[in-house]
Amino acid sequence: RDLRMSRGLGDVYKRQEYGKKETHKLVTHGVYAYLRHPSYCGWFWWAVGTQLLLANPFCTVAYAVASWRFFDDRIAYEEETLREYFGKEYDEYAKKVGTGIPLIK
């Protein structure tokens, strides 16, 4: 990653930020008005959907369970941080907008 950035490709790759800055805002418009974690939702349904299309019942269930467990842990961890950063604003947002993944509120 550092090599890519030193070669001028850094604009393509986002740098991870640590800690909340004054300029950070909670994004609730666009796709985030419909899903709190759109990329996770898409990945979950892609993983399950590909196995459904292949008519592979064992892998459909296995992918669904493995993906669900991963995203359940990941979303809980990320949302803990988002609640620390944005407090009540994030709580209100989370009440209105779902994750798009079954049983993950």
Side-chain angles (χ1 to χ4, degrees):
R1 179 174 165 210
D2 292 333
L3 180 60
R4 290 187 304 257
M5 292 177 78
S6 69
R7 292 189 175 189
L9 298 175
D11 294 342
V12 176
Y13 301 95
K14 283 189 141 187
R15 292 176 58 155
Q16 187 171 359
E17 297 286 339
Y18 296 97
K20 183 176 186 273
K21 295 182 179 179
E22 287 294 318
T23 57
H24 286 160
K25 303 285 184 221
L26 180 61
V27 177
T28 61
H29 59 279
V31 71
Y32 294 98
Y34 305 101
L35 297 167
R36 289 197 317 265
H37 301 279
S39 62
Y40 296 163
C41 176
W43 195 95
F44 176 85
W45 289 110
W46 171 84
V48 173
T50 56
Q51 297 312 304
L52 284 170
L53 288 173
L54 293 171
N56 189 336
F58 174 78
C59 285
T60 299
V61 172
Y63 278 44
V65 169
S67 297
W68 188 90
R69 290 179 69 186
F70 172 79
F71 288 123
D72 186 47
D73 288 343
R74 180 72 184 197
I75 288 171
Y77 172 77
E78 286 185 10
E79 290 196 343
E80 182 180 322
T81 302
L82 289 165
R83 283 185 170 87
E84 287 176 20
Y85 285 4
F86 299 108
K88 192 172 185 165
E89 182 183 10
Y90 190 81
D91 288 336
E92 291 300 316
Y93 170 66
K95 285 179 189 175
K96 292 187 253 180
V97 179
T99 63
I101 300 173
L103 305 176
I104 299 180
K105 305 263 183 228

